[in-house]
Amino acid sequence: MPSDDPSTVTPSTAAPFLRGRRAALLLGSLFLVSVFAQVDRILPFILAEAIKAELALSDTQIGLVTGLAFAACYALLSLPMARLCDHGSPRLVLLACTLTWSVMTALGGLATGFASLAASRFGVALGEAGAVPSSHSIIARRIGPTRRGIALGIFSTGIPIGTMVGFGLGGAIGEQYGWRAALVAAGLFGAVVGILAAIAAGPTPPIRRAASDASFWQESRALLAIPAFRALLVVAVCIGFAATPFYAFAATFLIRAHGFSTTQAGVAFGLSQGLLGAIGTLAGGRRFDASVRAGRAALLRAPMIAFAVAGLCTAAALFVADARLCVALMMPAMFAFAFMLPFAFGAAHRVAGVGREGMASSLAMIASGLVGPALGPLIVGVLSDGAAAAAAGARNGLAFGLLVVPAACAATVIACRIANRRMATAPPRSILDDGPPDLVTASTLRAG
């Protein structure tokens, strides 16, 4: 059996594709990795009120912890992690990253103030920066090309399911046993899942690269020089400003504005997000494939419509008096954010061309995961604190802060329209186009 030692690796010794039960075990374990990565990421959202009360934090500080402290580290490290996975053993990267974010999640349960809580979130982001690139690399090396799409779909479904588990089960555990217990439990289970995934993956040794391969910076500059790709990065930035503040404060809004308990908010928001997220991800994937096959010039037309509806409904949800109607009006946004995932990455892959999909994904992750997540929750927190102070402690001050979400949805619609025009004037290469890839060596293709 091949080892993970780079000195023994050649294309001919690359690990074979998995089939049957081994493939199912790998995909199941990677799905769980995706679930717990999302759980550990969003737990502070549903636990925010309890954390804020015990540690005496402001909404601005909560916005920093859930936004800047996580997003800056996560986004900035995604490209180096992707490069490490491409040129090293993604199994070892996944194991190290999973253990890192799980331990730091558990340590967050021991936080005594803002500084220690923020430090733990930096640690979680450090580990989770490698979750997607390492998992995608393992799938590429261990799952055959004809089943790779469904494999990536199964992995991505862990995002909405993880959100549902985090909000629902996390909120219940937090209310019953305290927010500290919820963080510690999530960390322990995440570590076990990471070890299981590393075992299921089997050997994923480094693949030798030709000396003429494009460098890290050459690949990045080449992609950023494409106008259509730059337009897609603007779309990703707008999505980050819409989605992250929504997830960071929606449950807290239900608690403050409509008197939900932590468990009620977690179940109502988490269950809705989990179901609509899973449906949206699968529906988005099928719709994207259908749009590609039909050769539509306006590839992003469907998500444009979804975000337009989401923005209008979210704006209304912030000011309705009925709690059930409020939750119902939040659902289009939950669907739209998930529906957009296959379109965002799929369009970026098509514009980038064969052999640059991984780098395209990493740049898109940075665009969506840095600016919006870093500044969005902070802006919401500042606006909320300002509105509450201006209205003598009004409970619904958070509604004014959350208007950032529908505004960002509107910006996403505009950005998608511009990106559609750019892609139409410069037709992208499909991953199914004939001809040899320009940045992938033949040995890499043979190794899977």
mmCIF file of all heavy atoms in Angstrom, residues 89-118:
data_model
loop_
_atom_site.group_PDB
_atom_site.id
_atom_site.type_symbol
_atom_site.label_atom_id
_atom_site.label_comp_id
_atom_site.label_asym_id
_atom_site.label_seq_id
_atom_site.Cartn_x
_atom_site.Cartn_y
_atom_site.Cartn_z
ATOM 1 N N SER A 89 -0.302 15.737 1.290
ATOM 2 C CA SER A 89 -1.295 14.711 1.572
ATOM 3 C C SER A 89 -2.560 15.369 2.125
ATOM 4 O O SER A 89 -2.559 15.842 3.265
ATOM 5 C CB SER A 89 -0.762 13.701 2.589
ATOM 6 O OG SER A 89 -1.799 12.855 3.038
ATOM 7 N N PRO A 90 -3.652 15.426 1.362
ATOM 8 C CA PRO A 90 -4.873 16.063 1.872
ATOM 9 C C PRO A 90 -5.457 15.335 3.076
ATOM 10 O O PRO A 90 -6.129 15.949 3.897
ATOM 11 C CB PRO A 90 -5.828 16.027 0.675
ATOM 12 C CG PRO A 90 -5.285 14.974 -0.233
ATOM 13 C CD PRO A 90 -3.804 14.964 -0.024
ATOM 14 N N ARG A 91 -5.200 14.028 3.195
ATOM 15 C CA ARG A 91 -5.697 13.302 4.367
ATOM 16 C C ARG A 91 -5.053 13.847 5.637
ATOM 17 O O ARG A 91 -5.735 14.064 6.646
ATOM 18 C CB ARG A 91 -5.413 11.817 4.234
ATOM 19 C CG ARG A 91 -5.834 11.024 5.470
ATOM 20 C CD ARG A 91 -5.615 9.544 5.330
ATOM 21 N NE ARG A 91 -4.205 9.197 5.323
ATOM 22 C CZ ARG A 91 -3.751 7.978 5.639
ATOM 23 N NH1 ARG A 91 -4.599 7.021 5.958
ATOM 24 N NH2 ARG A 91 -2.475 7.706 5.604
ATOM 25 N N LEU A 92 -3.738 14.061 5.604
ATOM 26 C CA LEU A 92 -3.052 14.586 6.777
ATOM 27 C C LEU A 92 -3.463 16.029 7.062
ATOM 28 O O LEU A 92 -3.582 16.434 8.216
ATOM 29 C CB LEU A 92 -1.538 14.486 6.585
ATOM 30 C CG LEU A 92 -0.977 13.072 6.414
ATOM 31 C CD1 LEU A 92 0.536 13.109 6.276
ATOM 32 C CD2 LEU A 92 -1.397 12.185 7.592
ATOM 33 N N VAL A 93 -3.690 16.795 5.994
ATOM 34 C CA VAL A 93 -4.165 18.171 6.176
ATOM 35 C C VAL A 93 -5.534 18.166 6.841
ATOM 36 O O VAL A 93 -5.787 18.924 7.784
ATOM 37 C CB VAL A 93 -4.218 18.914 4.819
ATOM 38 C CG1 VAL A 93 -4.870 20.290 4.996
ATOM 39 C CG2 VAL A 93 -2.820 19.061 4.246
ATOM 40 N N LEU A 94 -6.436 17.293 6.369
ATOM 41 C CA LEU A 94 -7.776 17.219 6.950
ATOM 42 C C LEU A 94 -7.717 16.804 8.415
ATOM 43 O O LEU A 94 -8.413 17.392 9.259
ATOM 44 C CB LEU A 94 -8.631 16.234 6.161
ATOM 45 C CG LEU A 94 -10.052 16.014 6.684
ATOM 46 C CD1 LEU A 94 -10.861 17.302 6.589
ATOM 47 C CD2 LEU A 94 -10.755 14.896 5.929
ATOM 48 N N LEU A 95 -6.901 15.812 8.733
ATOM 49 C CA LEU A 95 -6.799 15.354 10.117
ATOM 50 C C LEU A 95 -6.285 16.470 11.021
ATOM 51 O O LEU A 95 -6.866 16.733 12.088
ATOM 52 C CB LEU A 95 -5.863 14.145 10.191
ATOM 53 C CG LEU A 95 -5.618 13.572 11.599
ATOM 54 C CD1 LEU A 95 -6.924 13.106 12.228
ATOM 55 C CD2 LEU A 95 -4.603 12.440 11.539
ATOM 56 N N ALA A 96 -5.210 17.131 10.602
ATOM 57 C CA ALA A 96 -4.653 18.209 11.420
ATOM 58 C C ALA A 96 -5.641 19.355 11.594
ATOM 59 O O ALA A 96 -5.810 19.890 12.701
ATOM 60 C CB ALA A 96 -3.355 18.720 10.780
ATOM 61 N N CYS A 97 -6.317 19.714 10.511
ATOM 62 C CA CYS A 97 -7.265 20.836 10.576
ATOM 63 C C CYS A 97 -8.474 20.500 11.447
ATOM 64 O O CYS A 97 -8.941 21.326 12.239
ATOM 65 C CB CYS A 97 -7.713 21.220 9.170
ATOM 66 S SG CYS A 97 -6.445 22.052 8.194
ATOM 67 N N THR A 98 -8.996 19.268 11.297
ATOM 68 C CA THR A 98 -10.166 18.881 12.090
ATOM 69 C C THR A 98 -9.846 18.876 13.578
ATOM 70 O O THR A 98 -10.632 19.371 14.392
ATOM 71 C CB THR A 98 -10.661 17.487 11.660
ATOM 72 O OG1 THR A 98 -10.887 17.476 10.258
ATOM 73 C CG2 THR A 98 -11.965 17.151 12.365
ATOM 74 N N LEU A 99 -8.700 18.323 13.936
ATOM 75 C CA LEU A 99 -8.311 18.305 15.349
ATOM 76 C C LEU A 99 -8.104 19.724 15.872
ATOM 77 O O LEU A 99 -8.474 20.032 17.009
ATOM 78 C CB LEU A 99 -7.044 17.471 15.529
ATOM 79 C CG LEU A 99 -7.185 15.965 15.273
ATOM 80 C CD1 LEU A 99 -5.844 15.267 15.420
ATOM 81 C CD2 LEU A 99 -8.213 15.347 16.235
ATOM 82 N N THR A 100 -7.535 20.594 15.039
ATOM 83 C CA THR A 100 -7.290 21.975 15.470
ATOM 84 C C THR A 100 -8.590 22.706 15.760
ATOM 85 O O THR A 100 -8.759 23.307 16.828
ATOM 86 C CB THR A 100 -6.501 22.741 14.397
ATOM 87 O OG1 THR A 100 -5.217 22.124 14.219
ATOM 88 C CG2 THR A 100 -6.308 24.198 14.792
ATOM 89 N N TRP A 101 -9.539 22.680 14.810
ATOM 90 C CA TRP A 101 -10.759 23.449 15.051
ATOM 91 C C TRP A 101 -11.612 22.813 16.140
ATOM 92 O O TRP A 101 -12.334 23.526 16.861
ATOM 93 C CB TRP A 101 -11.531 23.692 13.763
ATOM 94 C CG TRP A 101 -12.544 22.680 13.326
ATOM 95 C CD1 TRP A 101 -13.653 22.278 14.015
ATOM 96 C CD2 TRP A 101 -12.585 21.971 12.083
ATOM 97 N NE1 TRP A 101 -14.360 21.360 13.273
ATOM 98 C CE2 TRP A 101 -13.731 21.163 12.088
ATOM 99 C CE3 TRP A 101 -11.769 21.973 10.964
ATOM 100 C CZ2 TRP A 101 -14.066 20.341 11.017
ATOM 101 C CZ3 TRP A 101 -12.116 21.170 9.901
ATOM 102 C CH2 TRP A 101 -13.249 20.361 9.941
ATOM 103 N N SER A 102 -11.549 21.504 16.299
ATOM 104 C CA SER A 102 -12.338 20.853 17.346
ATOM 105 C C SER A 102 -11.812 21.212 18.730
ATOM 106 O O SER A 102 -12.582 21.532 19.647
ATOM 107 C CB SER A 102 -12.312 19.334 17.150
ATOM 108 O OG SER A 102 -12.913 18.969 15.922
ATOM 109 N N VAL A 103 -10.492 21.174 18.887
ATOM 110 C CA VAL A 103 -9.888 21.545 20.168
ATOM 111 C C VAL A 103 -10.176 23.000 20.507
ATOM 112 O O VAL A 103 -10.524 23.342 21.643
ATOM 113 C CB VAL A 103 -8.372 21.284 20.140
ATOM 114 C CG1 VAL A 103 -7.692 21.908 21.360
ATOM 115 C CG2 VAL A 103 -8.084 19.784 20.111
ATOM 116 N N MET A 104 -10.081 23.877 19.517
ATOM 117 C CA MET A 104 -10.315 25.296 19.773
ATOM 118 C C MET A 104 -11.781 25.588 20.052
ATOM 119 O O MET A 104 -12.106 26.491 20.837
ATOM 120 C CB MET A 104 -9.828 26.122 18.583
ATOM 121 C CG MET A 104 -8.330 26.044 18.339
ATOM 122 S SD MET A 104 -7.322 26.399 19.801
ATOM 123 C CE MET A 104 -7.728 28.125 20.076
ATOM 124 N N THR A 105 -12.682 24.819 19.448
ATOM 125 C CA THR A 105 -14.106 24.962 19.791
ATOM 126 C C THR A 105 -14.330 24.612 21.247
ATOM 127 O O THR A 105 -15.030 25.330 21.981
ATOM 128 C CB THR A 105 -14.969 24.059 18.897
ATOM 129 O OG1 THR A 105 -14.831 24.463 17.529
ATOM 130 C CG2 THR A 105 -16.447 24.165 19.289
ATOM 131 N N ALA A 106 -13.747 23.497 21.691
ATOM 132 C CA ALA A 106 -13.885 23.087 23.079
ATOM 133 C C ALA A 106 -13.265 24.112 24.016
ATOM 134 O O ALA A 106 -13.831 24.428 25.083
ATOM 135 C CB ALA A 106 -13.241 21.715 23.285
ATOM 136 N N LEU A 107 -12.119 24.660 23.645
ATOM 137 C CA LEU A 107 -11.485 25.680 24.489
ATOM 138 C C LEU A 107 -12.327 26.949 24.569
ATOM 139 O O LEU A 107 -12.255 27.683 25.552
ATOM 140 C CB LEU A 107 -10.093 26.014 23.946
ATOM 141 C CG LEU A 107 -9.021 24.925 24.118
ATOM 142 C CD1 LEU A 107 -7.708 25.357 23.466
ATOM 143 C CD2 LEU A 107 -8.816 24.608 25.594
ATOM 144 N N GLY A 108 -13.133 27.204 23.525
ATOM 145 C CA GLY A 108 -14.038 28.347 23.588
ATOM 146 C C GLY A 108 -15.013 28.237 24.744
ATOM 147 O O GLY A 108 -15.483 29.248 25.272
ATOM 148 N N GLY A 109 -15.334 26.989 25.146
ATOM 149 C CA GLY A 109 -16.210 26.788 26.294
ATOM 150 C C GLY A 109 -15.570 27.174 27.612
ATOM 151 O O GLY A 109 -16.263 27.237 28.634
ATOM 152 N N LEU A 110 -14.262 27.437 27.600
ATOM 153 C CA LEU A 110 -13.547 27.841 28.812
ATOM 154 C C LEU A 110 -13.242 29.339 28.820
ATOM 155 O O LEU A 110 -12.546 29.823 29.721
ATOM 156 C CB LEU A 110 -12.239 27.057 28.945
ATOM 157 C CG LEU A 110 -12.354 25.522 28.901
ATOM 158 C CD1 LEU A 110 -10.971 24.889 28.995
ATOM 159 C CD2 LEU A 110 -13.249 25.019 30.028
ATOM 160 N N ALA A 111 -13.746 30.067 27.820
ATOM 161 C CA ALA A 111 -13.442 31.495 27.701
ATOM 162 C C ALA A 111 -13.923 32.269 28.922
ATOM 163 O O ALA A 111 -14.991 31.989 29.481
ATOM 164 C CB ALA A 111 -14.087 32.062 26.439
ATOM 165 N N THR A 112 -13.121 33.244 29.331
ATOM 166 C CA THR A 112 -13.468 34.068 30.500
ATOM 167 C C THR A 112 -13.769 35.515 30.128
ATOM 168 O O THR A 112 -14.129 36.308 30.984
ATOM 169 C CB THR A 112 -12.321 34.041 31.520
ATOM 170 O OG1 THR A 112 -11.115 34.510 30.876
ATOM 171 C CG2 THR A 112 -12.093 32.630 32.049
ATOM 172 N N GLY A 113 -13.614 35.851 28.846
ATOM 173 C CA GLY A 113 -13.869 37.213 28.415
ATOM 174 C C GLY A 113 -13.766 37.334 26.914
ATOM 175 O O GLY A 113 -13.609 36.344 26.191
ATOM 176 N N PHE A 114 -13.841 38.557 26.432
ATOM 177 C CA PHE A 114 -13.840 38.797 24.992
ATOM 178 C C PHE A 114 -12.559 38.316 24.338
ATOM 179 O O PHE A 114 -12.586 37.676 23.287
ATOM 180 C CB PHE A 114 -14.042 40.292 24.721
ATOM 181 C CG PHE A 114 -13.883 40.669 23.282
ATOM 182 C CD1 PHE A 114 -14.861 40.348 22.351
ATOM 183 C CD2 PHE A 114 -12.740 41.340 22.843
ATOM 184 C CE1 PHE A 114 -14.707 40.692 21.015
ATOM 185 C CE2 PHE A 114 -12.582 41.680 21.512
ATOM 186 C CZ PHE A 114 -13.570 41.361 20.598
ATOM 187 N N ALA A 115 -11.409 38.603 24.942
ATOM 188 C CA ALA A 115 -10.125 38.263 24.329
ATOM 189 C C ALA A 115 -9.966 36.754 24.159
ATOM 190 O O ALA A 115 -9.576 36.272 23.095
ATOM 191 C CB ALA A 115 -8.976 38.832 25.153
ATOM 192 N N SER A 116 -10.258 35.993 25.195
ATOM 193 C CA SER A 116 -10.082 34.543 25.115
ATOM 194 C C SER A 116 -11.105 33.914 24.173
ATOM 195 O O SER A 116 -10.802 32.951 23.459
ATOM 196 C CB SER A 116 -10.179 33.909 26.507
ATOM 197 O OG SER A 116 -11.397 34.245 27.147
ATOM 198 N N LEU A 117 -12.317 34.464 24.126
ATOM 199 C CA LEU A 117 -13.321 33.948 23.196
ATOM 200 C C LEU A 117 -12.906 34.231 21.752
ATOM 201 O O LEU A 117 -13.007 33.361 20.882
ATOM 202 C CB LEU A 117 -14.681 34.580 23.491
ATOM 203 C CG LEU A 117 -15.853 34.089 22.639
ATOM 204 C CD1 LEU A 117 -16.103 32.599 22.855
ATOM 205 C CD2 LEU A 117 -17.121 34.893 22.940
ATOM 206 N N ALA A 118 -12.416 35.450 21.492
ATOM 207 C CA ALA A 118 -11.963 35.796 20.142
ATOM 208 C C ALA A 118 -10.781 34.931 19.726
ATOM 209 O O ALA A 118 -10.696 34.488 18.573
ATOM 210 C CB ALA A 118 -11.584 37.274 20.075
#
